[in-house]
Amino acid sequence: MCIRDRYRRLCTIDIRKIVKAVKLMIDKFSKKQRYVDETFPPEHTSLIRCPDKLNKDEAVKWDKVTWIHCTDIADYMFAKVASRVTYSKLLQGQLAHCYITDILSSLATVPERIQRLFCRPDATSRETFEVTVYPHGVPTKVEVDGHFPYFGPCKALYFARTSSSELWPMVLEKVWAKHLGSYHDTLTADPSMAFTFFTGYATGHLINENLTENELWDTLLEYQDKKFPMICRSRACHTAKEYMSYKVLNLLSDHYYSLLEAKIEGYKKNKRVVRL
């Protein structure tokens, strides 16, 4: 080995050690500076308020959920909370409250509806997040920290998230959970209350049995023209025939969906189609 190669190897080793030391210092400093929301701390009580009411299997599942700061996840280390909003990449996670992700997805079809909820849409993952919401229709500012539920065995965020490293769904879901008292309380909350919480407006309901097919379709088109955010819910299946009819359409029984678009297709323009 020549002297030049030995010198190059020594320099490489020294530089790696320096980079590692700098990273440790940055991590140590950032962890000291992390804000913790004392009114909704990263503790088990914020996940579920009454663990004694759970059955054994549910208790085991919730016990495996911990907390992680978003800066400890590589994909979110330098993310900005709402500088970019894409509804198509929103994932529900393991919490069986599909209505909240569908509401957020429906609102995100117009990105400004999400961005104006944040006092600082360009806030980074190292900052706190301040959101304007409307409990009971009253504009209220709510602040949350950057700690989110994390499932160790899967090494992934446990609840709402996106496949494109966007922070806004996680933050808004946490604000909703904080309002209700815990993440577990979001399971039994009223979807119409969540709509009002994030928009400030009253909600309306359309029940299929009360309308003819033409009336329902005309109402959907009217709401779409007015750019109303909409969600829908599938009926619960009670027979094998109903289950198979849902399966053909790739639908789930008793499930919420974002209603993204209603349009007429086909060569003769005689097919009514909705995009969920």
Side-chain angles (χ1 to χ4, degrees), residues 17-34 69 71-72 77-78 125-126:
K17 287 182 178 179
I18 292 171
V19 170
K20 185 176 181 180
V22 170
K23 283 184 176 180
L24 288 172
M25 290 176 63
I26 292 174
D27 290 343
K28 187 176 181 180
F29 177 77
S30 63
K31 287 179 180 178
K32 284 185 178 180
Q33 299 299 315
R34 287 174 182 172
H69 198 275
T71 54
D72 291 331
M77 189 174 294
F78 302 105
S125 56
R126 296 183 180 276

Side-chain angles (χ1 to χ4, degrees), residues 56-90:
K56 186 177 180 180
D57 292 338
E58 287 179 329
V60 170
K61 182 181 72 173
W62 281 91
D63 285 341
K64 292 180 180 179
V65 182
T66 57
W67 295 86
I68 191 171
H69 198 275
C70 52
T71 54
D72 291 331
I73 305 173
D75 291 342
Y76 298 96
M77 189 174 294
F78 302 105
K80 293 183 178 180
V81 65
S83 59
R84 180 182 58 168
V85 175
T86 51
Y87 70 90
S88 60
K89 298 182 178 180
L90 185 57

